[in-house]
mmCIF file of all heavy atoms in Angstrom:
data_model
loop_
_atom_site.group_PDB
_atom_site.id
_atom_site.type_symbol
_atom_site.label_atom_id
_atom_site.label_comp_id
_atom_site.label_asym_id
_atom_site.label_seq_id
_atom_site.Cartn_x
_atom_site.Cartn_y
_atom_site.Cartn_z
ATOM 1 N N ASP A 1093 0.911 -1.160 -0.031
ATOM 2 C CA ASP A 1093 0.003 -0.048 0.103
ATOM 3 C C ASP A 1093 0.924 1.217 0.027
ATOM 4 O O ASP A 1093 1.329 1.683 1.066
ATOM 5 C CB ASP A 1093 -0.905 0.020 1.251
ATOM 6 C CG ASP A 1093 -1.934 1.183 1.170
ATOM 7 O OD1 ASP A 1093 -1.770 2.039 0.276
ATOM 8 O OD2 ASP A 1093 -2.784 1.200 2.007
ATOM 9 N N THR A 1094 1.145 1.700 -1.219
ATOM 10 C CA THR A 1094 2.113 2.854 -1.374
ATOM 11 C C THR A 1094 1.402 4.137 -1.485
ATOM 12 O O THR A 1094 2.018 5.186 -1.672
ATOM 13 C CB THR A 1094 2.930 2.571 -2.560
ATOM 14 O OG1 THR A 1094 2.058 2.453 -3.826
ATOM 15 C CG2 THR A 1094 3.807 1.320 -2.442
ATOM 16 N N LEU A 1095 0.020 4.243 -1.366
ATOM 17 C CA LEU A 1095 -0.702 5.331 -1.829
ATOM 18 C C LEU A 1095 -0.390 6.569 -1.045
ATOM 19 O O LEU A 1095 -0.251 7.668 -1.522
ATOM 20 C CB LEU A 1095 -2.211 5.016 -1.794
ATOM 21 C CG LEU A 1095 -3.075 5.990 -2.576
ATOM 22 C CD1 LEU A 1095 -2.754 5.966 -4.030
ATOM 23 C CD2 LEU A 1095 -4.561 5.483 -2.416
ATOM 24 N N GLU A 1096 -0.318 6.558 0.242
ATOM 25 C CA GLU A 1096 0.057 7.608 1.064
ATOM 26 C C GLU A 1096 1.362 8.364 0.719
ATOM 27 O O GLU A 1096 1.421 9.544 0.618
ATOM 28 C CB GLU A 1096 -0.061 7.238 2.643
ATOM 29 C CG GLU A 1096 -1.342 7.008 3.139
ATOM 30 C CD GLU A 1096 -2.291 8.242 3.319
ATOM 31 O OE1 GLU A 1096 -1.763 9.412 3.187
ATOM 32 O OE2 GLU A 1096 -3.461 8.085 3.690
ATOM 33 N N ASP A 1097 2.382 7.507 0.476
ATOM 34 C CA ASP A 1097 3.689 8.083 0.230
ATOM 35 C C ASP A 1097 3.637 8.654 -1.203
ATOM 36 O O ASP A 1097 4.262 9.754 -1.393
ATOM 37 C CB ASP A 1097 4.734 7.065 0.275
ATOM 38 C CG ASP A 1097 5.163 6.612 1.619
ATOM 39 O OD1 ASP A 1097 5.070 7.607 2.588
ATOM 40 O OD2 ASP A 1097 5.712 5.543 1.920
ATOM 41 N N LEU A 1098 2.869 8.046 -2.129
ATOM 42 C CA LEU A 1098 2.781 8.645 -3.476
ATOM 43 C C LEU A 1098 2.041 9.993 -3.351
ATOM 44 O O LEU A 1098 2.464 10.986 -3.992
ATOM 45 C CB LEU A 1098 2.010 7.608 -4.415
ATOM 46 C CG LEU A 1098 2.813 6.432 -4.846
ATOM 47 C CD1 LEU A 1098 1.937 5.456 -5.514
ATOM 48 C CD2 LEU A 1098 3.960 6.868 -5.851
ATOM 49 N N LYS A 1099 0.967 10.015 -2.520
ATOM 50 C CA LYS A 1099 0.225 11.289 -2.465
ATOM 51 C C LYS A 1099 1.101 12.361 -1.879
ATOM 52 O O LYS A 1099 1.201 13.609 -2.260
ATOM 53 C CB LYS A 1099 -1.066 11.112 -1.622
ATOM 54 C CG LYS A 1099 -1.940 12.241 -1.434
ATOM 55 C CD LYS A 1099 -2.698 12.282 -0.135
ATOM 56 C CE LYS A 1099 -1.878 12.582 0.987
ATOM 57 N NZ LYS A 1099 -2.750 12.703 2.287
ATOM 58 N N ASP A 1100 1.923 11.959 -0.752
ATOM 59 C CA ASP A 1100 2.711 13.040 -0.176
ATOM 60 C C ASP A 1100 3.779 13.622 -1.080
ATOM 61 O O ASP A 1100 4.100 14.778 -1.050
ATOM 62 C CB ASP A 1100 3.374 12.440 1.038
ATOM 63 C CG ASP A 1100 2.270 12.253 2.208
ATOM 64 O OD1 ASP A 1100 1.123 12.786 2.074
ATOM 65 O OD2 ASP A 1100 2.641 11.461 3.234
ATOM 66 N N SER A 1101 4.354 12.630 -1.867
ATOM 67 C CA SER A 1101 5.333 13.146 -2.807
ATOM 68 C C SER A 1101 4.833 13.914 -4.063
ATOM 69 O O SER A 1101 5.444 14.908 -4.380
ATOM 70 C CB SER A 1101 6.063 11.873 -3.432
ATOM 71 O OG SER A 1101 6.766 11.135 -2.377
ATOM 72 N N VAL A 1102 3.621 13.543 -4.376
ATOM 73 C CA VAL A 1102 2.846 14.304 -5.427
ATOM 74 C C VAL A 1102 2.599 15.740 -4.929
ATOM 75 O O VAL A 1102 2.839 16.756 -5.565
ATOM 76 C CB VAL A 1102 1.553 13.713 -5.917
ATOM 77 C CG1 VAL A 1102 0.683 14.667 -6.670
ATOM 78 C CG2 VAL A 1102 1.877 12.475 -6.847
ATOM 79 N N ASN A 1103 2.253 15.846 -3.617
ATOM 80 C CA ASN A 1103 1.846 17.117 -3.126
ATOM 81 C C ASN A 1103 3.088 17.975 -2.801
ATOM 82 O O ASN A 1103 3.034 19.132 -2.795
ATOM 83 C CB ASN A 1103 0.884 16.941 -1.986
ATOM 84 C CG ASN A 1103 -0.550 16.620 -2.365
ATOM 85 O OD1 ASN A 1103 -0.965 17.047 -3.503
ATOM 86 N ND2 ASN A 1103 -1.150 15.888 -1.476
ATOM 87 N N TYR A 1104 4.133 17.285 -2.602
ATOM 88 C CA TYR A 1104 5.402 18.071 -2.296
ATOM 89 C C TYR A 1104 5.708 18.776 -3.636
ATOM 90 O O TYR A 1104 6.109 19.977 -3.593
ATOM 91 C CB TYR A 1104 6.464 17.168 -1.988
ATOM 92 C CG TYR A 1104 7.904 17.762 -1.949
ATOM 93 C CD1 TYR A 1104 8.412 18.631 -1.080
ATOM 94 C CD2 TYR A 1104 8.690 17.478 -3.163
ATOM 95 C CE1 TYR A 1104 9.649 19.301 -1.143
ATOM 96 C CE2 TYR A 1104 9.828 18.075 -3.334
ATOM 97 C CZ TYR A 1104 10.485 18.960 -2.317
ATOM 98 O OH TYR A 1104 11.583 19.530 -2.437
ATOM 99 N N ILE A 1105 5.612 17.993 -4.757
ATOM 100 C CA ILE A 1105 5.989 18.517 -6.099
ATOM 101 C C ILE A 1105 4.947 19.660 -6.481
ATOM 102 O O ILE A 1105 5.315 20.745 -7.045
ATOM 103 C CB ILE A 1105 6.142 17.434 -7.057
ATOM 104 C CG1 ILE A 1105 7.190 16.509 -6.787
ATOM 105 C CG2 ILE A 1105 6.290 18.058 -8.509
ATOM 106 C CD1 ILE A 1105 8.463 17.142 -6.727
ATOM 107 N N MET A 1106 3.675 19.314 -6.193
ATOM 108 C CA MET A 1106 2.659 20.351 -6.658
ATOM 109 C C MET A 1106 2.939 21.706 -5.843
ATOM 110 O O MET A 1106 2.878 22.761 -6.373
ATOM 111 C CB MET A 1106 1.235 19.855 -6.362
ATOM 112 C CG MET A 1106 0.778 18.682 -7.085
ATOM 113 S SD MET A 1106 0.715 18.898 -8.946
ATOM 114 C CE MET A 1106 1.969 17.742 -9.501
ATOM 115 N N GLY A 1107 3.279 21.534 -4.594
ATOM 116 C CA GLY A 1107 3.500 22.753 -3.680
ATOM 117 C C GLY A 1107 4.778 23.475 -4.220
ATOM 118 O O GLY A 1107 4.835 24.739 -4.283
ATOM 119 N N LYS A 1108 5.778 22.730 -4.585
ATOM 120 C CA LYS A 1108 7.103 23.389 -5.040
ATOM 121 C C LYS A 1108 6.897 24.193 -6.347
ATOM 122 O O LYS A 1108 7.572 25.167 -6.450
ATOM 123 C CB LYS A 1108 8.058 22.226 -5.294
ATOM 124 C CG LYS A 1108 9.417 22.804 -5.779
ATOM 125 C CD LYS A 1108 10.349 21.710 -5.956
ATOM 126 C CE LYS A 1108 11.710 22.234 -6.406
ATOM 127 N NZ LYS A 1108 12.799 21.218 -6.671
ATOM 128 N N TYR A 1109 5.972 23.819 -7.219
ATOM 129 C CA TYR A 1109 5.719 24.517 -8.432
ATOM 130 C C TYR A 1109 4.434 25.370 -8.380
ATOM 131 O O TYR A 1109 4.000 25.883 -9.381
ATOM 132 C CB TYR A 1109 5.667 23.431 -9.606
ATOM 133 C CG TYR A 1109 7.004 22.931 -9.947
ATOM 134 C CD1 TYR A 1109 7.654 21.806 -9.201
ATOM 135 C CD2 TYR A 1109 7.697 23.396 -11.021
ATOM 136 C CE1 TYR A 1109 8.758 21.370 -9.592
ATOM 137 C CE2 TYR A 1109 9.026 22.981 -11.295
ATOM 138 C CZ TYR A 1109 9.547 21.925 -10.592
ATOM 139 O OH TYR A 1109 10.793 21.385 -10.950
ATOM 140 N N GLY A 1110 3.864 25.464 -7.311
ATOM 141 C CA GLY A 1110 2.686 26.392 -7.168
ATOM 142 C C GLY A 1110 1.397 25.907 -7.698
ATOM 143 O O GLY A 1110 0.529 26.664 -7.978
ATOM 144 N N PHE A 1111 1.356 24.550 -7.811
ATOM 145 C CA PHE A 1111 0.097 23.837 -8.382
ATOM 146 C C PHE A 1111 -0.821 23.449 -7.164
ATOM 147 O O PHE A 1111 -0.349 23.174 -6.057
ATOM 148 C CB PHE A 1111 0.317 22.723 -9.243
ATOM 149 C CG PHE A 1111 1.014 23.188 -10.576
ATOM 150 C CD1 PHE A 1111 1.942 22.391 -11.223
ATOM 151 C CD2 PHE A 1111 0.620 24.366 -11.103
ATOM 152 C CE1 PHE A 1111 2.509 22.747 -12.377
ATOM 153 C CE2 PHE A 1111 1.262 24.818 -12.378
ATOM 154 C CZ PHE A 1111 2.230 23.984 -12.941
ATOM 155 N N PRO A 1112 -2.154 23.160 -7.456
ATOM 156 C CA PRO A 1112 -3.096 22.777 -6.370
ATOM 157 C C PRO A 1112 -2.663 21.366 -5.993
ATOM 158 O O PRO A 1112 -2.253 20.512 -6.680
ATOM 159 C CB PRO A 1112 -4.377 22.711 -7.061
ATOM 160 C CG PRO A 1112 -4.211 23.650 -8.280
ATOM 161 C CD PRO A 1112 -2.888 23.603 -8.732
ATOM 162 N N ARG A 1113 -2.811 21.102 -4.645
ATOM 163 C CA ARG A 1113 -2.562 19.730 -4.066
ATOM 164 C C ARG A 1113 -3.640 18.716 -4.555
ATOM 165 O O ARG A 1113 -4.743 19.196 -4.839
ATOM 166 C CB ARG A 1113 -2.577 19.873 -2.504
ATOM 167 C CG ARG A 1113 -1.409 20.571 -1.940
ATOM 168 C CD ARG A 1113 -1.433 20.910 -0.531
ATOM 169 N NE ARG A 1113 -1.608 19.582 0.260
ATOM 170 C CZ ARG A 1113 -0.428 18.973 0.688
ATOM 171 N NH1 ARG A 1113 0.736 19.364 0.580
ATOM 172 N NH2 ARG A 1113 -0.663 17.905 1.531
ATOM 173 N N ARG A 1114 -3.190 17.505 -4.527
ATOM 174 C CA ARG A 1114 -4.165 16.371 -4.891
ATOM 175 C C ARG A 1114 -4.650 15.584 -3.719
ATOM 176 O O ARG A 1114 -3.808 15.338 -2.810
ATOM 177 C CB ARG A 1114 -3.515 15.427 -5.990
ATOM 178 C CG ARG A 1114 -3.206 16.298 -7.255
ATOM 179 C CD ARG A 1114 -4.396 16.773 -7.918
ATOM 180 N NE ARG A 1114 -4.077 17.524 -9.176
ATOM 181 C CZ ARG A 1114 -5.026 18.066 -9.954
ATOM 182 N NH1 ARG A 1114 -6.332 18.161 -9.475
ATOM 183 N NH2 ARG A 1114 -4.724 18.639 -11.080
ATOM 184 N N THR A 1115 -5.893 15.261 -3.766
ATOM 185 C CA THR A 1115 -6.469 14.404 -2.790
ATOM 186 C C THR A 1115 -5.927 12.945 -2.974
ATOM 187 O O THR A 1115 -5.387 12.449 -3.951
ATOM 188 C CB THR A 1115 -7.956 14.303 -2.736
ATOM 189 O OG1 THR A 1115 -8.391 13.711 -3.916
ATOM 190 C CG2 THR A 1115 -8.507 15.739 -2.719
ATOM 191 N N LEU A 1116 -6.191 12.034 -1.773
ATOM 192 C CA LEU A 1116 -5.874 10.640 -1.907
ATOM 193 C C LEU A 1116 -6.489 9.939 -3.087
ATOM 194 O O LEU A 1116 -5.878 9.218 -3.836
ATOM 195 C CB LEU A 1116 -6.069 9.981 -0.632
ATOM 196 C CG LEU A 1116 -5.563 8.540 -0.453
ATOM 197 C CD1 LEU A 1116 -4.031 8.771 -0.254
ATOM 198 C CD2 LEU A 1116 -6.106 7.870 0.797
ATOM 199 N N GLU A 1117 -7.852 10.240 -3.292
ATOM 200 C CA GLU A 1117 -8.554 9.671 -4.333
ATOM 201 C C GLU A 1117 -8.066 10.133 -5.792
ATOM 202 O O GLU A 1117 -8.129 9.263 -6.626
ATOM 203 C CB GLU A 1117 -10.062 9.976 -4.143
ATOM 204 C CG GLU A 1117 -10.688 9.079 -3.037
ATOM 205 C CD GLU A 1117 -10.397 7.705 -3.108
ATOM 206 O OE1 GLU A 1117 -10.701 7.047 -4.239
ATOM 207 O OE2 GLU A 1117 -10.037 7.115 -2.118
ATOM 208 N N GLU A 1118 -7.708 11.277 -5.824
ATOM 209 C CA GLU A 1118 -7.199 11.889 -7.154
ATOM 210 C C GLU A 1118 -5.928 11.077 -7.434
ATOM 211 O O GLU A 1118 -5.693 10.665 -8.671
ATOM 212 C CB GLU A 1118 -6.889 13.282 -7.058
ATOM 213 C CG GLU A 1118 -8.281 14.118 -7.129
ATOM 214 C CD GLU A 1118 -7.997 15.602 -6.958
ATOM 215 O OE1 GLU A 1118 -7.139 15.985 -6.247
ATOM 216 O OE2 GLU A 1118 -8.798 16.362 -7.624
ATOM 217 N N VAL A 1119 -5.029 10.936 -6.493
ATOM 218 C CA VAL A 1119 -3.811 10.172 -6.700
ATOM 219 C C VAL A 1119 -4.116 8.682 -6.993
ATOM 220 O O VAL A 1119 -3.477 8.086 -7.833
ATOM 221 C CB VAL A 1119 -2.812 10.367 -5.509
ATOM 222 C CG1 VAL A 1119 -1.679 9.348 -5.694
ATOM 223 C CG2 VAL A 1119 -2.415 11.777 -5.446
ATOM 224 N N ARG A 1120 -5.051 8.111 -6.279
ATOM 225 C CA ARG A 1120 -5.426 6.766 -6.545
ATOM 226 C C ARG A 1120 -5.839 6.637 -8.013
ATOM 227 O O ARG A 1120 -5.422 5.513 -8.756
ATOM 228 C CB ARG A 1120 -6.575 6.297 -5.685
ATOM 229 C CG ARG A 1120 -7.036 4.956 -5.793
ATOM 230 C CD ARG A 1120 -8.334 4.710 -5.105
ATOM 231 N NE ARG A 1120 -8.251 4.866 -3.633
ATOM 232 C CZ ARG A 1120 -7.839 4.129 -2.648
ATOM 233 N NH1 ARG A 1120 -7.475 2.911 -3.014
ATOM 234 N NH2 ARG A 1120 -7.795 4.460 -1.443
ATOM 235 N N ARG A 1121 -6.657 7.429 -8.482
ATOM 236 C CA ARG A 1121 -7.108 7.371 -9.905
ATOM 237 C C ARG A 1121 -5.943 7.560 -10.875
ATOM 238 O O ARG A 1121 -6.072 7.117 -12.085
ATOM 239 C CB ARG A 1121 -8.286 8.245 -10.216
ATOM 240 C CG ARG A 1121 -9.547 8.051 -9.485
ATOM 241 C CD ARG A 1121 -10.650 8.840 -10.030
ATOM 242 N NE ARG A 1121 -10.504 10.233 -9.756
ATOM 243 C CZ ARG A 1121 -11.006 10.867 -8.793
ATOM 244 N NH1 ARG A 1121 -11.567 10.291 -7.780
ATOM 245 N NH2 ARG A 1121 -10.749 12.198 -8.618
ATOM 246 N N ALA A 1122 -4.910 8.309 -10.530
ATOM 247 C CA ALA A 1122 -3.797 8.563 -11.352
ATOM 248 C C ALA A 1122 -2.751 7.660 -11.548
ATOM 249 O O ALA A 1122 -1.938 7.721 -12.485
ATOM 250 C CB ALA A 1122 -3.261 10.121 -11.015
ATOM 251 N N VAL A 1123 -2.632 6.718 -10.676
ATOM 252 C CA VAL A 1123 -1.547 5.722 -10.568
ATOM 253 C C VAL A 1123 -1.946 4.529 -11.629
ATOM 254 O O VAL A 1123 -2.967 4.276 -11.958
ATOM 255 C CB VAL A 1123 -1.260 5.174 -9.273
ATOM 256 C CG1 VAL A 1123 -0.742 6.305 -8.270
ATOM 257 C CG2 VAL A 1123 -2.346 4.474 -8.593
ATOM 258 N N GLY A 1124 -0.850 3.836 -11.940
ATOM 259 C CA GLY A 1124 -1.021 2.671 -12.682
ATOM 260 C C GLY A 1124 -0.157 2.494 -13.947
ATOM 261 O O GLY A 1124 0.090 1.410 -14.481
ATOM 262 N N ASN A 1125 0.101 3.693 -14.492
ATOM 263 C CA ASN A 1125 1.001 3.669 -15.712
ATOM 264 C C ASN A 1125 2.462 4.396 -15.668
ATOM 265 O O ASN A 1125 2.938 4.790 -16.570
ATOM 266 C CB ASN A 1125 0.205 4.444 -16.810
ATOM 267 C CG ASN A 1125 -1.098 3.799 -17.180
ATOM 268 O OD1 ASN A 1125 -2.145 4.068 -16.599
ATOM 269 N ND2 ASN A 1125 -0.989 2.747 -18.035
ATOM 270 N N GLY A 1126 2.950 4.327 -14.408
ATOM 271 C CA GLY A 1126 4.279 4.806 -14.143
ATOM 272 C C GLY A 1126 4.098 6.229 -13.609
ATOM 273 O O GLY A 1126 3.207 6.869 -13.613
ATOM 274 N N ILE A 1127 5.397 6.650 -13.154
ATOM 275 C CA ILE A 1127 5.466 7.932 -12.422
ATOM 276 C C ILE A 1127 5.296 9.149 -13.337
ATOM 277 O O ILE A 1127 4.598 10.078 -12.998
ATOM 278 C CB ILE A 1127 6.844 8.087 -11.651
ATOM 279 C CG1 ILE A 1127 6.885 7.076 -10.529
ATOM 280 C CG2 ILE A 1127 6.928 9.431 -11.068
ATOM 281 C CD1 ILE A 1127 5.838 7.165 -9.467
ATOM 282 N N ARG A 1128 5.788 9.013 -14.569
ATOM 283 C CA ARG A 1128 5.690 10.157 -15.470
ATOM 284 C C ARG A 1128 4.221 10.544 -15.802
ATOM 285 O O ARG A 1128 3.778 11.580 -15.784
ATOM 286 C CB ARG A 1128 6.465 9.885 -16.755
ATOM 287 C CG ARG A 1128 6.445 11.042 -17.743
ATOM 288 C CD ARG A 1128 7.376 10.838 -18.820
ATOM 289 N NE ARG A 1128 8.707 11.145 -18.697
ATOM 290 C CZ ARG A 1128 9.642 10.248 -18.363
ATOM 291 N NH1 ARG A 1128 9.457 9.070 -18.338
ATOM 292 N NH2 ARG A 1128 10.946 10.762 -18.138
ATOM 293 N N LYS A 1129 3.445 9.418 -16.021
ATOM 294 C CA LYS A 1129 2.082 9.434 -16.186
ATOM 295 C C LYS A 1129 1.313 10.045 -14.972
ATOM 296 O O LYS A 1129 0.404 10.793 -15.161
ATOM 297 C CB LYS A 1129 1.466 8.228 -16.591
ATOM 298 C CG LYS A 1129 -0.044 8.213 -17.224
ATOM 299 C CD LYS A 1129 -0.171 9.073 -18.313
ATOM 300 C CE LYS A 1129 0.485 8.528 -19.595
ATOM 301 N NZ LYS A 1129 0.065 9.404 -20.887
ATOM 302 N N LEU A 1130 1.766 9.524 -13.811
ATOM 303 C CA LEU A 1130 1.193 10.202 -12.588
ATOM 304 C C LEU A 1130 1.234 11.722 -12.413
ATOM 305 O O LEU A 1130 0.327 12.386 -12.186
ATOM 306 C CB LEU A 1130 1.757 9.441 -11.316
ATOM 307 C CG LEU A 1130 1.536 10.066 -10.021
ATOM 308 C CD1 LEU A 1130 -0.032 9.958 -9.708
ATOM 309 C CD2 LEU A 1130 2.397 9.372 -8.887
ATOM 310 N N ILE A 1131 2.550 12.079 -12.896
ATOM 311 C CA ILE A 1131 2.737 13.538 -12.844
ATOM 312 C C ILE A 1131 1.840 14.205 -13.927
ATOM 313 O O ILE A 1131 1.176 15.360 -13.629
ATOM 314 C CB ILE A 1131 4.242 13.980 -12.994
ATOM 315 C CG1 ILE A 1131 5.102 13.301 -11.886
ATOM 316 C CG2 ILE A 1131 4.407 15.403 -13.171
ATOM 317 C CD1 ILE A 1131 4.737 13.709 -10.672
ATOM 318 N N GLU A 1132 1.766 13.700 -15.043
ATOM 319 C CA GLU A 1132 0.983 14.361 -16.251
ATOM 320 C C GLU A 1132 -0.541 14.367 -15.768
ATOM 321 O O GLU A 1132 -1.186 15.337 -16.094
ATOM 322 C CB GLU A 1132 1.096 13.476 -17.384
ATOM 323 C CG GLU A 1132 2.452 13.439 -18.090
ATOM 324 C CD GLU A 1132 2.402 12.534 -19.280
ATOM 325 O OE1 GLU A 1132 1.308 11.988 -19.578
ATOM 326 O OE2 GLU A 1132 3.498 12.232 -19.833
ATOM 327 N N ARG A 1133 -0.981 13.314 -15.058
ATOM 328 C CA ARG A 1133 -2.394 13.386 -14.613
ATOM 329 C C ARG A 1133 -2.632 14.302 -13.387
ATOM 330 O O ARG A 1133 -3.775 14.553 -13.098
ATOM 331 C CB ARG A 1133 -2.853 11.975 -14.332
ATOM 332 C CG ARG A 1133 -2.885 11.055 -15.501
ATOM 333 C CD ARG A 1133 -3.002 9.628 -15.120
ATOM 334 N NE ARG A 1133 -3.158 8.747 -16.332
ATOM 335 C CZ ARG A 1133 -3.057 7.389 -16.208
ATOM 336 N NH1 ARG A 1133 -2.864 6.796 -15.160
ATOM 337 N NH2 ARG A 1133 -3.235 6.756 -17.407
#
């Protein structure tokens, strides 16, 4: 169960670049096709 760490890492990057943070469910829907696709989504 990697979802919480993925969410925290996504939100670290979103915050660094001034973009809105993502919820756990948004990250859940975005995973599955690799990290680059996770960032794109």
Side-chain angles (χ1 to χ4, degrees):
D1093 184 355
T1094 57
L1095 197 57
E1096 288 283 355
D1097 282 336
L1098 287 168
K1099 183 203 74 171
D1100 290 348
S1101 296
V1102 165
N1103 285 332
Y1104 166 79
I1105 296 301
M1106 294 299 113
K1108 180 177 179 178
Y1109 285 83
F1111 291 147
R1113 293 168 61 87
R1114 295 300 181 182
T1115 67
L1116 193 69
E1117 285 308 307
E1118 286 174 328
V1119 174
R1120 183 192 302 274
R1121 292 194 296 269
V1123 297
N1125 295 92
I1127 296 299
R1128 184 174 278 102
K1129 186 62 69 173
L1130 169 61
I1131 300 301
E1132 289 178 10
R1133 291 168 175 166

